[in-house]
Amino acid sequence: MRRTRLGLVTGGTFKTGLGVRLDADCTTEDLRVGEMVVIEGASNRYFGMITDMQLQATDPRLLASPPEAGSTLLAQALTGTVNYATVEVKPMLMLELKADLDEQRGPGPVRTIPMHFAALRKASAMDFDTVFGKEGGTNFAVGTPVPMDIPIRLRLDRFVERSNGIFGQSGTGKSFLARVLLCGVIRTRAAANLIFDMHSEYAFDKQTEDGHFVRGLRDLFGPQILVYSLDEGAAARRNVDVTLAVGLNQIEAEDIMLLADELDLTSTTAATAGLLGDQYGKEWLRQLLAMSADDVAEFCQSSGAHPEATRALQRKLRGVQRRAYLKEEAPFSLIDEMVAALGRGRSIILEFGRFDNPLDYMLVANIVTRRIRRLYQQKMERFEETKAETDRPPQLVITLEEAHKFLNPAVASQTIFGTIAREMRKYNVTLMVIDQRPSGIDPEVMSQLGTRVTGLLTEERDIDAVFTGVGGRSFLRGALASLDTRQQVLLMGHAVPMPVVVQTRTYDEEFYRAVGSSGSWTEDREINATDIWGKKQ
Amino acid sequence: MRIGEIVESTSTHFVAESLDLGRPPELGRLVKVHLAEDRDLCAVVCHGETGSLDPGRRAVRRSTEEVYDDQVYREHPQLEHVLRTQFTSLAVGVIDKEVVHQGLPSQPPPLHYSVHGCDEEETTRFTQDLYYFRLLLGVPVRIPVELVLAGHLRWVYRGRGHDEEWLQVAAREVAKLLKQDYERLATVLYAIERDT
Amino acid sequence: MPLKLDLLGQRITEMVQASAAEDRGRWVERARQLLDSVGPEQLRAKLEERVVRLPWLVGIPDGGVNGAFEVQECPSSFSVVAADGSYIAPDRHSPFRFYVLNTGYAVLTYGRQPSAVLDSSAQLYFQEQDLYLDPLVRSAPVEGARLSAKMCLAEMRALLEAAERVEGRPLVALRDGSLITWGLQTEDPAFVQERFLTEFLTYLERFDALGIPLVSYISYPGARDVVNSLRVWLCTQGDMDCARCPSADVEQFCRALREIRDRELFGFLQDGERSDVFGSKSAILNRYGLHRIHFFYMNVGGEVVRLEAPQWVTGDSQTLRLVQALIYDQARRSAIHPPYPPALQEAHEEAFISGSDRRLVQLLVERSLAERGFVYSGSAKSGSKRRRGV
């Protein structure tokens, strides 16, 4: 006999949450920690999350001598009377119920609690619509509540407004989730995207661990996606639009600081780059690479740099210089064109080909992003002067993997990514960071991440980190711990009215049909330049 | 069918002398007293005893090697006249014009009125509502109410044609009332379980 | 206030010691030996000869003196009827003069179809003819011994009426207490005696006519009839002048015999055995005619009791056997020890008037008065007995 009512409120406080005694015929196994539920108060409807469950007994003696096996009458009589279950529910949103539908507003923050015996019930499709909004505009379904078939929608406009994080141990499906979200952003045109695709996963079809193929963004969205590559060789094999070259002239001292770990430089050595920069300005790197031993000595004399450090730096950077994508000089126009395309609503995926190691990834991402942000800053300043809509730069989301390398406390203050994170949406540029070690990210940066989507985390440090700056973390921990290892995430923050556990949408044929056009774009191998940069969508 | 006559009457219970020596109604059985035309007092039998009619006399051993058990009564025919069986019943409600009101009667039943057994239909009607369990469990008399209640539940279960559903609902009602005292509850429910 | 037992204790000890000093066992043994030595014919002759001069009651043997007769089997089915009575005496403190007689009876049937009938009947007497034997002059008030006699008559009547209703046979009628109404011997004027005896004997007639043996059962009998006969046997004098007893031995023996009772003498009887039958020489029996009362002793298993019956019972050997068998059977069925016939026990229970019953009668009288407008306050003493306030 299934009823929608689960139990009645029997206690609790505003601060810690409400205690609900489950009805006799409602079993704890029908519910899940992290599940969204609804409490019907007399004047308000409360949308909340189950944060804990307990088993109770009115008489502790029962626990010492539970019913004998075979005593079905006793066992069934005891359930719900002597032994009963309670759940803790933390209300997250409150809807004031108005008799006059015209006056009815949407749900808002919780300011009160219901009285005793208010009924708890499961959330219905209508409740989810009320909380998360209906389909349409930038509301994009990212999954369903765990046992149900009701879509939970993310407000992508709010999602892209601030930097975000996708977290979870390896194997929890972060890259699939990233694909889903990116598809959503692209489909709803919430923002333009720049994706630093370290392992060349996002653009084209890729074979998964299980052996089947998943579609790439280029296949789904065709000319809306531009694919760049660092690796010329790979570019020829794949359907890459542009091969990106990076010049030594584009490398700045701050990049060296960022790469200190990767290059295995001491801080002194890394700092030497700064001294070189002071001395030689933009030419510092070429100068350094061309220096003879004497030049080094001379330089050290005048700048106070350490000779050995300088020589070490020179050695290391000579190694870097040999990379195929690094030219003596590269025009910034390549990057500027990227910005132009982004300005027209395109999304860009930068593949790294064979250069899929952290060093190259970080170096190039830093350089590109620095340039792009500078351009955006200029555009924004101009827009503020003219106030003409056409001058407003479109929202840009930069997708960054292995985020902790860029945003750890040691370097966060120095990299452009740290700056972007801290600036929030000042220049319409935000980050979408993907990482499995949130504890590696600078807490200040973490607290700036508006929306966090996290899969299962087991390290205490990581769990603490992911909740930095989130209110009510104590009850959300229970929800986090209850996640399945695959395809279940806890969604919280700016883009959702209340935290919610979601079974993410499967990235499959059905999804492809839902977001993209039915046709595959891989057939059109020849895409000419005008097509990319000439037309406006 | 008359089974006894009231010889003591109080607000909470009455004592009746059984018409059959040595065979009072079963423990836990539902009985009734016709108070008026269509007004019956319902009660649950909670105690039975057989003893001397005259309180000054006590039963003494009468059996011998050859004469024992029911033979004793043949051997001493006066016993049937000097012994009597009494049973105590706890008042649990009134059926007034076919409407059941569970609770203590407003007045104790009159002395010397007859006690009758309740038939299947009356039992089913009265036991639809289980509020009266509270009366049985709250009575301050020196009898083990748990076992009386167990007997009562068994008896009603049979009287309602082995009504499993009713038994489960009744068991839960008892659990609710005895939730603070698991041992008493277990006494009641194990007693029923062993028998059905 | 409570009785001061400590003052009595000493005297009780003295009393017991006084009787223990006698070494009764030896004398009882000697008395039995003496009994064995009796020649019944000669004793009868001796007794007849001296009966007028004897100040004591003696028992005249019908046959032997020291016989012991085994009990026989009971019939397969039989009945026993018994009656008893109890009264509320006239109360000096009551505004009315009245007395209440309550008779109880029990009919117990054994055998193939065992059954029992127990009942009682009460009557209140307040009219002049009931309260005084001579109502015209208000003399001879019915109280004390006269009331007891009235009670006895009521019991006999109840016993007879109950017996008449019994269909099954054989049937024996039992009552408790002697059938020898020696209490009436002292009554004067003679018509008092007459009045009682006529009715009494009528009942005995009826029992005889109905063929229902009537027996009275006396538990823990204090009689010394047969022992007294032994003293006569012992006496060597012709005129029995005890002051001038010739033999010191004889005098000592005779004096010892004075303390011995028949029940001790007949202690030799085994379980269920009865003694020989003796006739009583009580003067009142001269008026009994055919219903002269004889007696014998019997061991009912625990004590030796005295049984009395009219001669038409004791003289018929078959009836006597039946009586002995049924009485022993009753004793066997007794729940108490020493045994007492259940029929008599139940009749007694039926007849018994409890303290609360007595008070109820009083209450009824008072209420009746009140209904008629009289408030009775009672004598001060009775009031003080009822309400024992401090």
Side-chain angles (χ1 to χ4, degrees):
Chain A
M1 188 172 60
R2 284 202 145 270
R3 293 188 310 191
T4 49
R5 189 182 108 169
L6 303 169
L8 298 176
V9 172
T10 51
T13 68
F14 179 76
K15 280 195 206 155
T16 58
L18 300 168
V20 174
R21 187 210 199 272
L22 292 184
D23 287 345
D25 58 355
C26 178
T27 155
T28 48
E29 298 191 286
D30 281 345
L31 304 173
R32 290 201 162 29
V33 169
E35 188 176 329
M36 180 168 121
V37 286
V38 180
I39 294 177
E40 296 284 0
S43 338
N44 303 301
R45 182 172 297 150
Y46 303 82
F47 300 97
M49 180 192 273
I50 293 179
T51 57
D52 198 5
M53 296 184 185
Q54 299 114 353
L55 296 181
Q56 316 262 18
T58 52
D59 185 347
R61 286 179 283 182
L62 162 65
L63 309 174
S65 32
E68 296 161 12
S71 298
T72 48
L73 186 68
L74 182 60
Q76 114 15 76
L78 292 174
T79 307
T81 53
V82 183
N83 52 277
Y84 60 98
T86 56
V87 293
E88 301 258 314
V89 175
K90 176 75 175 155
M92 310 262 188
L93 290 173
M94 186 176 96
L95 181 70
E96 284 181 56
L97 300 167
K98 301 259 190 252
D100 188 350
L101 285 173
D102 290 339
E103 286 183 42
Q104 188 72 53
R105 291 198 292 264
V110 180
R111 295 204 200 288
T112 178
I113 54 173
M115 293 289 287
H116 286 93
F117 317 135
L120 177 78
R121 63 173 175 77
K122 284 204 178 241
S124 64
M126 203 176 84
D127 293 316
F128 280 96
D129 281 350
T130 306
V131 173
F132 295 101
K134 292 199 167 50
E135 191 75 29
T138 53
N139 288 352
F140 182 72
V142 295
T144 62
V146 174
M148 298 184 239
D149 202 20
I150 304 166
I152 290 182
R153 300 183 186 93
L154 202 57
R155 298 190 50 180
L156 292 176
D157 54 346
R158 289 168 72 92
F159 184 70
V160 302
E161 266 177 4
R162 304 219 185 132
S163 295
N164 309 293
I166 300 179
F167 304 106
Q169 325 182 136
S170 65
T172 49
K174 292 190 296 300
S175 60
F176 282 105
L177 182 55
R179 283 192 185 85
V180 168
L181 290 169
L182 287 168
C183 286
V185 172
I186 295 168
R187 178 91 169 84
T188 60
R189 297 179 197 281
N193 293 281
L194 172 59
I195 300 158
F196 291 111
D197 191 352
M198 186 164 154
H199 300 295
S200 308
E201 292 181 297
Y202 293 91
F204 302 106
D205 284 2
K206 181 178 165 65
Q207 190 175 35
T208 64
E209 292 168 354
D210 315 342
H212 65 267
F213 280 89
V214 291
R215 303 278 287 281
L217 294 174
R218 169 55 162 257
D219 298 322
L220 290 173
F221 297 103
Q224 236 183 316
I225 308 291
L226 285 173
V227 183
Y228 280 54
S229 182
L230 265 189
D231 184 350
E232 201 161 359
R237 286 195 299 279
R238 291 154 81 79
N239 215 355
V240 168
D241 299 309
V242 181
T243 305
L244 187 68
V246 176
L248 292 171
N249 60 315
Q250 292 171 319
I251 299 177
E252 293 182 16
E254 90 171 39
D255 300 321
I256 306 303
M257 307 293 274
L258 179 64
L259 295 170
D261 274 343
E262 296 302 324
L263 290 169
D264 199 20
L265 301 170
T266 63
S267 51
T268 323
T269 315
T272 310
L275 290 169
L276 285 160
D278 291 340
Q279 183 100 351
Y280 298 105
K282 287 199 188 130
E283 294 297 306
W284 73 275
L285 182 54
R286 272 191 293 201
Q287 286 288 335
L288 174 64
L289 292 170
M291 267 186 198
S292 64
D294 295 328
D295 294 328
V296 169
E298 195 190 312
F299 164 70
C300 292
Q301 277 264 319
S302 58
S303 66
H306 195 272
E308 195 44 53
T310 312
R311 276 197 289 277
L313 186 64
Q314 191 185 51
R315 248 192 333 269
K316 288 283 168 73
L317 290 179
R318 281 204 176 124
V320 172
Q321 185 189 23
R322 287 194 273 278
R323 278 160 155 68
Y325 62 86
L326 268 182
K327 311 279 188 282
E328 277 281 323
E329 272 225 28
F332 279 101
S333 57
L334 279 176
I335 301 175
D336 295 350
E337 277 155 9
M338 284 167 90
V339 173
L342 290 170
R344 281 192 289 279
R346 293 299 206 309
S347 290
I348 297 174
I349 300 175
L350 174 56
E351 290 194 338
F352 286 74
R354 69 176 185 279
F355 303 109
D356 61 349
N357 58 77
L359 175 68
D360 296 317
Y361 184 67
M362 288 165 75
L363 177 62
V364 175
N366 217 41
I367 291 170
V368 171
T369 304
R370 190 171 47 241
R371 180 70 188 171
I372 287 178
R373 186 190 154 287
R374 217 167 268 160
L375 287 173
Y376 257 77
Q377 185 176 2
Q378 287 166 5
K379 282 179 178 248
M380 216 40 194
E381 280 162 3
R382 187 174 155 70
F383 167 65
E384 270 158 27
E385 276 174 41
T386 66
K387 298 197 187 353
E389 261 320 300
T390 44
D391 288 336
R392 184 207 288 275
Q395 183 72 41
L396 171 64
V397 176
I398 301 179
T399 301
L400 198 63
E401 295 179 296
E402 308 274 349
H404 67 272
K405 291 199 193 290
F406 296 90
L407 293 165
N408 61 69
V411 302
S413 49
Q414 281 139 345
T415 65
I416 192 62
F417 295 103
T419 307
I420 291 172
R422 275 194 301 279
E423 282 176 346
M424 289 170 51
R425 53 177 302 183
K426 195 160 155 192
Y427 301 113
N428 275 14
V429 178
T430 55
L431 302 175
M432 184 164 89
V433 302
I434 304 174
D435 207 281
Q436 66 187 38
R437 285 215 278 127
S439 56
I441 294 177
D442 180 66
E444 207 201 312
V445 168
M446 182 64 90
S447 63
Q448 300 292 0
L449 297 179
T451 307
R452 299 172 210 185
V453 182
T454 169
L456 183 65
L457 292 168
T458 48
E459 291 282 327
E460 276 300 311
R461 288 181 314 210
D462 289 329
I463 297 172
D464 283 338
V466 89
F467 286 125
T468 305
V470 172
R473 70 186 70 188
S474 52
F475 58 85
L476 289 176
R477 289 180 86 97
L480 180 59
S482 77
L483 295 176
D484 206 58
T485 49
R486 296 176 69 87
Q487 261 189 297
Q488 280 184 9
V489 293
L490 174 62
L491 210 55
M492 53 186 169
H494 193 59
V496 282
M498 61 178 265
V500 64
V501 171
V502 174
Q503 177 93 23
T504 52
R505 270 173 105 160
T506 313
Y507 192 70
D508 58 8
E509 282 295 332
E510 205 183 308
F511 180 78
Y512 308 149
R513 269 196 296 279
V515 297
S517 356
S518 44
S520 163
W521 290 93
T522 50
E523 285 143 22
D524 283 319
R525 287 185 174 274
E526 300 292 328
I527 299 176
N528 55 40
T530 5
D531 204 25
I532 297 168
W533 290 305
K535 287 197 206 151
K536 234 188 165 88
Q537 283 289 358
Chain B
M1 184 216 7
R2 294 199 316 130
I3 56 177
E5 183 183 307
I6 298 177
V7 293
E8 267 178 55
S9 176
T10 75
S11 289
T12 53
H13 65 278
F14 58 83
V15 178
E17 190 173 314
S18 181
L19 296 186
D20 255 332
L21 181 69
R23 266 186 292 279
E26 297 159 60
L27 213 56
R29 195 193 202 290
L30 209 56
V31 294
K32 64 180 185 209
V33 179
H34 284 312
L35 299 175
E37 177 68 37
D38 41 16
R39 195 175 147 77
D40 289 333
L41 169 71
C42 292
V44 172
V45 177
C46 68
H47 186 61
E49 63 181 297
T50 300
S52 164
L53 195 60
D54 186 328
R57 300 176 75 178
R58 297 172 54 118
V60 290
R61 184 167 61 82
R62 288 185 183 271
S63 60
T64 63
E65 279 297 316
E66 300 86 28
V67 173
Y68 49 84
D69 292 350
D70 57 317
Q71 283 298 315
V72 170
Y73 289 87
R74 291 179 64 85
E75 194 77 347
H76 303 277
Q78 75 275 20
L79 286 178
E80 308 233 338
H81 299 263
V82 297
L83 298 175
R84 69 166 174 184
T85 296
Q86 290 182 307
F87 59 93
T88 309
S89 307
L90 297 173
V92 289
V94 165
I95 302 183
D96 197 346
K97 296 186 190 36
E98 309 227 333
V99 177
V100 173
H101 304 275
Q102 295 186 345
L104 289 182
S106 43
Q107 289 145 343
L111 282 181
H112 301 296
Y113 267 47
S114 296
V115 182
H116 307 254
C118 284
D119 62 35
E120 193 173 306
E121 192 265 325
E122 288 163 329
T123 302
T124 305
R125 182 145 26 105
F126 192 85
T127 57
Q128 277 304 115
D129 183 2
L130 300 181
Y131 171 78
Y132 71 99
F133 282 7
R134 292 173 183 273
L135 292 161
L136 292 178
L137 289 169
V139 165
V141 291
R142 42 154 187 83
I143 48 170
V145 278
E146 294 85 35
L147 296 170
V148 170
L149 185 58
H152 174 68
L153 257 51
R154 276 199 300 268
W155 183 82
V156 174
Y157 165 72
R158 284 197 300 267
R160 288 176 68 117
H162 292 80
D163 190 346
E164 288 288 344
E165 200 185 314
W166 182 88
L167 187 62
Q168 291 198 343
V169 172
R172 297 184 62 77
E173 185 64 28
V174 176
K176 266 191 233 162
L177 295 172
L178 289 179
K179 63 164 133 1
Q180 296 297 340
D181 198 333
Y182 177 65
E183 291 302 329
R184 282 180 84 197
L185 175 61
T187 303
V188 179
L189 294 184
Y190 278 136
I192 301 172
E193 210 148 28
R194 275 151 217 264
D195 208 47
T196 51
Chain C
M1 292 305 284
L3 186 60
K4 292 205 172 115
L5 291 168
D6 49 334
L7 299 175
L8 304 177
Q10 178 65 19
R11 297 289 286 166
I12 289 171
T13 314
E14 285 169 20
M15 176 176 70
V16 170
Q17 276 171 349
S19 75
E22 294 278 335
D23 191 15
R24 306 178 70 78
R26 195 162 60 85
W27 289 116
V28 169
E29 200 43 54
R30 280 189 68 179
R32 287 188 193 150
Q33 284 162 2
L34 186 61
L35 188 70
D36 286 340
S37 72
V38 166
E41 281 295 333
Q42 290 138 299
L43 177 59
R44 251 195 303 276
K46 214 172 174 185
L47 289 170
E48 295 291 351
E49 188 190 290
R50 301 183 194 196
V51 69
V52 181
R53 285 168 276 167
L54 284 171
W56 334 301
L57 285 174
V58 290
I60 320 281
D62 286 357
V65 294
N66 64 346
F69 299 86
E70 269 181 20
V71 67
Q72 304 297 309
E73 285 275 325
C74 278
S76 55
S77 298
F78 58 91
S79 304
V80 177
V81 58
D84 196 358
S86 168
Y87 58 78
I88 301 178
D91 185 4
R92 189 178 76 71
H93 305 285
S94 169
F96 295 103
R97 193 169 172 77
F98 68 90
Y99 57 89
V100 172
L101 296 182
N102 189 38
T103 56
Y105 72 86
V107 179
L108 302 181
T109 305
Y110 302 95
R112 278 182 298 275
Q113 283 173 319
S115 71
V117 180
L118 311 174
D119 206 357
S120 69
S121 171
Q123 185 60 269
L124 186 141
Y125 299 90
F126 65 94
Q127 289 161 314
E128 297 280 310
Q129 65 261 36
D130 294 317
L131 296 175
Y132 301 96
L133 293 180
D134 189 354
L136 291 175
V137 300
R138 284 203 169 191
S139 72
V142 173
E143 60 189 7
R146 288 186 209 118
L147 183 56
S148 298
K150 265 255 174 178
M151 182 79 257
C152 175
L153 285 179
E155 288 167 23
M156 290 293 288
R157 187 165 51 246
L159 185 62
L160 179 63
E161 282 168 4
E164 279 170 343
R165 287 195 290 272
V166 178
E167 287 176 357
R169 289 292 182 277
L171 170 69
V172 165
L174 276 185
R175 63 182 298 271
D176 187 299
S178 181
L179 284 169
I180 303 167
T181 55
W182 45 267
L184 293 175
Q185 275 164 189
T186 55
E187 280 298 328
D188 200 60
F191 81 90
V192 166
Q193 210 183 79
E194 223 25 80
R195 188 98 68 78
F196 279 109
L197 263 183
T198 317
E199 198 179 333
F200 187 77
L201 292 171
T202 313
Y203 296 136
L204 293 185
E205 270 289 337
R206 283 294 295 151
F207 278 108
D208 187 9
L210 289 168
I212 301 171
L214 170 68
V215 181
S216 89
Y217 184 102
I218 299 151
S219 168
Y220 203 69
R224 295 194 172 93
D225 300 50
V226 178
V227 173
N228 287 337
S229 298
L230 278 184
R231 289 167 74 197
V232 170
W233 175 256
L234 191 64
C235 194
T236 48
Q237 285 183 11
D239 53 357
M240 289 192 63
D241 186 357
C242 296
R244 287 181 283 121
C245 189
S247 158
D249 278 340
V250 167
E251 197 188 349
Q252 190 193 32
F253 196 1
C254 188
R255 204 177 302 131
L257 284 176
R258 264 214 311 251
E259 306 304 318
I260 295 173
R261 298 183 196 266
D262 285 357
R263 67 170 192 267
E264 296 169 280
L265 179 65
F266 287 100
F268 62 84
L269 294 171
Q270 301 289 315
D271 240 40
E273 283 180 349
R274 69 161 173 87
S275 69
D276 281 300
V277 180
F278 298 83
S280 174
K281 273 304 187 183
S282 189
I284 194 79
L285 290 177
N286 296 334
R287 319 201 45 178
Y288 274 50
L290 292 171
H291 304 288
R292 278 196 82 88
I293 305 298
H294 291 234
F295 65 90
F296 59 94
Y297 292 91
M298 185 170 149
N299 181 341
V300 292
E303 76 161 330
V304 170
V305 300
R306 176 180 164 116
L307 297 153
E308 295 176 0
Q311 67 186 26
W312 48 268
V313 171
T314 56
D316 181 274
S317 55
Q318 202 175 5
T319 309
L320 189 56
R321 266 201 298 276
L322 178 70
V323 164
Q324 182 186 4
L326 261 53
I327 287 179
Y328 185 58
D329 178 77
Q330 280 287 285
R332 235 182 13 90
R333 293 176 200 263
S334 169
I336 59 173
H337 200 83
Y340 191 71
L344 281 173
Q345 167 116 23
E346 298 304 331
H348 173 73
E349 294 286 344
E350 288 292 324
F352 180 68
I353 306 176
S354 69
S356 52
D357 286 337
R358 287 170 198 272
R359 279 192 290 280
L360 262 176
V361 171
Q362 216 166 7
L363 215 75
L364 283 173
V365 170
E366 285 170 23
R367 190 175 302 168
S368 208
L369 269 177
E371 277 166 20
R372 312 214 67 209
F374 300 103
V375 174
Y376 165 58
S377 55
S379 79
K381 178 163 181 182
S382 82
S384 84
K385 277 194 203 175
R386 271 191 291 169
R387 295 254 198 76
R388 299 167 57 223
V390 285

